[in-house]
């Protein structure tokens, strides 16, 4: 197989002989869809279809499944790509990794215990502080525990589920009284909650993926630069369910000092979380003071071609299919499903 000559050498590749023999299960809510937007999940349905067809385009046999029933017994496949993360109950993102671990079936992502740690925003901040990474001040509000007012003062407060994604359930308030009311509302819906100080600045993210080497591959940091700094994007906007939705205003961070500091923080966090196959570390950045504050980490983040990981890789000349293949190859090799991830050159 002839590979593109200028392909980034950090990209991992699945040998053609392995592609021909592998059988991969793609487990996602919209894995069997046709790519049309969903009334409830919006562009997530588009994303799932794109990812499935991208893997098929690599020459790998794909078995599409959209429910946990597909893995209640060991699936008859070589590898599973689990994306059934939001299943309607607390911490559902851990169920597929747990079931697959039970059967000894290799899967993409991270171990169940690491998924749980990373998806818990409070615990991920505790890990960040342990490694000297600055964080926004916060208060964990677990269900069943008395609510206590934060021991810090902030101009505004952000209240959100402690394990939410895509900004679901997030609100910004001006007082603890308002924050407390929203905490109680989210508790009533079955969620632990985190309250943190609001930082009206830029969101920056560092994508980290598996590549040809054993160490984490840190892709160029990406900045989310809305028209007004600090604007909160709603769940409806992120899923393209709102009117007048525009593409994410993402740009590559071109400040070498900022990139260096972000990468140093991420390497420290990877000491706790690696190995995993793909993730995104998120920070707030103040261009005026240069301050960086860790917000959260997502080890099952969006791999859609329109989102930050793929657009960061594109800045290196790595297209979406090559990125997906590198992530898969890294995971397949580290779990012993394939023996190598080298380039194949024409004779």
């Amino acid at each position: 197989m002839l590979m593109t000559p200028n392909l980034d050498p950090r990209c991992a590749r699945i040998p053609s002989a392995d592609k021909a023999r592998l059988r991969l299960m793609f487990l996602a809510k919209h894995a069997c869809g046709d790519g049309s937007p969903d009334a409830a999940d919006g562009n997530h349905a588009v994303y799932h279809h794109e990812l499935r067809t991208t893997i098929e385009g690599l020459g790998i046999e794909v078995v599409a499944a959209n429910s946990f029933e597909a893995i209640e017994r060991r699936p008859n496949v070589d590898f599973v790509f689990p994306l059934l993360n939001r299943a309607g109950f607390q911490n559902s993102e851990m169920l597929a990794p747990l079931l697959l671990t039970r059967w000894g079936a290799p899967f993409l992502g991270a171990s169940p215990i690491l998924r749980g740690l990373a998806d818990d925003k409070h615990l991920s901040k505790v890990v960040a502080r342990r490694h000297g990474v600055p964080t926004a001040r916060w208060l964990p509000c677990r269900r069943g525990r008395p609510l206590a007012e934060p021991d810090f003062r902030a101009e505004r407060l952000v209240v959100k589920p402690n394990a939410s994604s895509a900004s679901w359930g997030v609100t910004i308030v001006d007082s603890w009284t308002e924050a407390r009311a929203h905490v109680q509302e989210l508790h009533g819906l079955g969620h632990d909650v985190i309250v943190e100080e609001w930082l009206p600045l830029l969101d920056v993210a560092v994508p980290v993926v598996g590549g040809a080497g054993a160490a984490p591959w840190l892709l160029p940091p990406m900045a989310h630069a809305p028209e007004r700094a600090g604007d909160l994007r709603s769940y409806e906007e992120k899923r393209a369910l709102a009117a007048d939705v525009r593409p994410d205003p993402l740009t590559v961070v071109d400040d070498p000092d900022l990139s260096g500091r972000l990468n140093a923080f991420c390497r420290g966090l990877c000491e706790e979380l690696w190995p995993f196959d793909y993730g995104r570390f998120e920070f707030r950045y103040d261009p005026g003071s240069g301050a960086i504050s860790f917000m959260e980490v997502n080890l099952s983040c969006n791999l859609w071609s329109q989102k930050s990981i793929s657009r960061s890789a594109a800045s290196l000349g790595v297209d979406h299919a090559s990125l997906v293949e590198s992530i898969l190859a890294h995971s397949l090799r580290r779990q012993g499903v394939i023996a190598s991830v080298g380039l194949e050159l024409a004779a």
Side-chain angles (χ1 to χ4, degrees), residues 165-319:
S165 63
S167 295
W168 181 86
V170 179
T171 190
I172 299 174
V173 298
D174 297 316
S175 69
W176 169 243
T177 300
E178 295 172 281
R180 183 186 183 97
H182 192 56
V183 169
Q184 292 172 329
E185 179 183 349
L186 291 173
H187 278 178
L189 295 173
H191 296 274
D192 285 343
V193 181
I194 187 169
V195 178
E196 60 189 13
E197 62 179 327
W198 179 68
L199 302 175
L201 308 166
L202 293 178
D203 289 316
V204 290
V206 181
V208 180
V209 301
W217 180 10
L218 277 61
L219 297 175
M222 300 293 288
H224 180 273
E227 292 182 6
R228 294 184 305 172
D231 275 359
L232 177 67
R233 296 185 69 225
S234 67
Y235 174 83
E236 289 73 20
E237 288 177 299
K238 290 187 176 182
R239 291 288 182 261
L241 294 168
D244 190 30
V245 174
R246 291 164 288 182
D248 287 348
L250 295 170
T251 59
V252 176
V253 172
D254 57 7
D255 180 339
D257 176 70
L258 174 58
S259 295
R261 289 191 292 145
L262 289 168
N263 288 344
F265 290 149
C266 289
R267 290 189 184 97
L269 292 165
C270 282
E271 289 181 17
E272 297 284 357
L273 300 172
W274 193 257
F276 57 85
D277 297 316
Y278 67 107
R280 187 181 65 233
F281 294 89
E282 300 181 12
F283 302 83
R284 287 284 229 180
Y285 169 61
D286 181 349
S289 68
I292 297 173
S293 294
F294 171 78
M295 300 300 288
E296 60 187 68
V297 56
N298 189 333
L299 294 188
S300 186
C301 52
N302 200 311
L303 285 177
W304 190 22
S305 60
Q306 306 302 310
K307 296 297 183 179
S308 58
I309 287 191
S310 189
R311 288 170 67 174
S312 174
S315 74
L316 301 175
V318 177
D319 63 27

Side-chain angles (χ1 to χ4, degrees), residues 35-58:
S36 301
D38 181 75
D41 298 325
N43 57 25
H44 228 47
V46 182
Y47 160 47
H48 288 170
H49 180 264
E50 179 194 66
L51 200 46
R52 189 195 81 211
T53 56
T54 296
I55 299 168
E56 291 171 339
L58 297 175

Side-chain angles (χ1 to χ4, degrees), residues 136-152:
R137 294 173 295 178
W138 81 95
L139 171 72
C141 302
R142 304 286 191 189
R143 295 176 67 212
R145 189 164 119 189
L147 281 178
E149 188 170 351
D151 60 1
F152 59 86

